[in-house]
Amino acid sequence: MTGCGGSSTPGASTDTGKVADDGKITMGFSQVGAESGWRTANTKSVQESAKSAGVELKFSDAQQKQENQIKAIRSFVQQKVDVIAFSPVVESGWDTVLKEAQNAKIPVILTDRAVDSADKTLYKTFLGSDFVEEGKKAGQWLVEEYKDSKDPVNIVELQGTTGSAPANDRKAGFAEVIAADPKFKIAASQTGDFTRAKGKEVMEAFLKSTPDIDVLYAHNDDMGLGAIEAIEGAGKVPGKDIKIITVDAVKDGMQALADGKISYIVECSPLLGPQLMDLAKKVVAGEQVPERVVTEETTFTQEQAKQALPTRQY
Ligand code: GZL
């Protein structure tokens, strides 16, 4: 029996030729790792949403290694799951394994991060934030913050994982906005791999090599929190001697913002689970889904962080 539009009726087939036996679908999910507070919240959202959606979840943690994600995707194909979802740790190098999933008629959903494959048929949809927009929001706050200043503004940047979509795009969006005024200079820019430990280590090096740092732009809260330890260790006051802009808005970052150690946070929501499960069911049932689903998110000043903290989910 081959369905063409398919339905979630038990026993129905879908256009991928899969039989959703009792309407329950099996998802293979390859997660980047457990590198940050954001990732922990994202994993929780995916796992809890699978449970409440009645989706059988096969979950794999790649420990931030692309080869582990490729292995996991191959294993999901061998297990003949109904759908594969993953957050690609880096943008490039996915075409071969995604072709294998396509040949096995297993639909793929990108969640959180994007791939740079030219062949858009390799995945059904990409659910996640607009990272360029996030970088622009960070830059716009800085331009506003220094609108009356004529002096040079020396910026150091802690980039996310090298080659990842959030690192590439948050860097590009930020640079595009601050290019409007030559007083803004990125004096040093290096990856902190989205972790606190690396963020602290690289900030310590910046403090030694770069005189007169005015601003730190960190691509996530965790690197910003690590940098705060380095800044305080150097006898400087974070949020005052060095203004700090970060991205994510996880609880620890929001607390540092409320305490005035971080100056501004651009939110990047990790709560993608419910939308992912909804998209997965539609894809398995052979229904049309949008090529791109952009997550809703905002920004936080110190005051707004104080308001939001008591009810913050993550
Ligand atoms: C963004 C996500 C990034 C977060 C980091 O969607 O991929 O990875 O900003 C996380 O905290 O490590």
Side-chain angles (χ1 to χ4, degrees):
M1 195 177 115
T2 50
C4 48
S7 79
S8 54
T9 317
S13 295
T14 66
D15 72 344
T16 54
K18 307 294 303 168
V19 177
D21 31 26
D22 56 359
K24 203 171 161 60
I25 65 173
T26 301
M27 172 189 283
F29 188 94
S30 168
Q31 180 60 293
V32 165
E35 74 282 0
S36 63
W38 189 98
R39 190 62 57 195
T40 307
N42 179 246
T43 290
K44 186 164 177 273
S45 174
V46 168
Q47 291 177 332
E48 286 180 354
S49 303
K51 213 172 278 169
S52 42
V55 169
E56 173 73 30
L57 187 69
K58 293 179 180 296
F59 184 91
S60 134
D61 173 335
Q63 289 153 359
Q64 286 191 286
K65 290 188 173 60
Q66 180 172 30
E67 64 265 21
N68 289 344
Q69 289 199 290
I70 291 172
K71 272 189 210 136
I73 292 170
R74 287 201 164 117
S75 158
F76 297 147
V77 170
Q78 275 155 12
Q79 296 176 66
K80 297 187 181 359
V81 297
D82 297 308
V83 59
I84 291 169
F86 77 116
S87 170
V89 60
V90 292
E91 286 193 285
S92 307
W94 302 100
D95 287 37
T96 302
V97 73
L98 293 181
K99 201 93 193 104
E100 291 167 21
Q102 191 176 58
N103 294 339
K105 296 192 180 313
I106 299 177
V108 172
I109 294 175
L110 298 184
T111 163
D112 169 28
R113 297 184 184 179
V115 298
D116 61 8
S117 303
D119 182 357
K120 302 288 178 214
T121 67
L122 290 174
Y123 53 90
K124 293 290 182 186
T125 182
F126 165 37
L127 162 65
S129 304
D130 178 340
F131 302 128
V132 173
E133 197 50 40
E134 291 173 346
K136 286 182 177 176
K137 288 176 185 175
Q140 282 148 9
W141 179 83
L142 197 62
V143 167
E144 179 59 24
E145 187 69 12
Y146 283 89
K147 65 177 183 300
D148 301 329
S149 159
K150 297 270 174 292
D151 301 331
V153 179
N154 290 321
I155 303 161
V156 291
E157 180 180 27
L158 284 170
Q159 296 181 39
T161 301
T162 303
S164 68
N168 292 338
D169 294 351
R170 285 172 185 166
K171 181 172 176 41
F174 182 77
E176 183 187 320
V177 168
I178 65 167
D181 188 331
K183 75 186 174 200
F184 295 112
K185 296 211 177 331
I186 297 184
S189 180
Q190 196 177 324
T191 184
D193 211 18
F194 283 132
T195 68
R196 284 196 198 201
K198 198 86 177 118
K200 179 179 178 191
E201 185 191 312
V202 175
M203 190 67 203
E204 282 165 348
F206 285 162
L207 287 160
K208 291 193 182 86
S209 65
T210 310
D212 316 324
I213 300 172
D214 299 304
V215 176
L216 164 64
Y217 169 45
H219 291 185
N220 81 331
D221 293 350
D222 287 69
M223 294 189 293
L225 293 163
I228 285 171
E229 290 176 43
I231 292 166
E232 289 174 331
K236 293 178 183 284
V237 181
K240 288 197 175 32
D241 298 333
I242 297 177
K243 291 195 189 325
I244 301 178
I245 309 166
T246 66
V247 184
D248 277 351
V250 295
K251 208 166 265 181
D252 289 350
M254 292 284 269
Q255 189 58 60
L257 176 56
D259 298 343
K261 294 189 175 184
I262 289 179
S263 315
Y264 188 67
I265 299 185
V266 175
E267 184 183 41
C268 174
S269 176
L271 305 180
L272 304 177
Q275 286 173 291
L276 173 59
M277 298 307 149
D278 178 52
L279 285 165
K281 288 185 173 177
K282 289 193 167 96
V283 160
V284 172
E287 292 171 28
Q288 282 304 313
V289 292
E291 206 176 283
R292 178 76 174 91
V293 181
V294 182
T295 33
E296 310 253 317
E297 49 205 29
T298 184
T299 56
F300 291 95
T301 61
Q302 182 178 25
E303 263 329 294
Q304 290 163 337
K306 286 177 183 170
Q307 300 299 322
L309 259 172
T311 55
R312 197 89 187 132
Q313 281 187 65
Y314 60 92

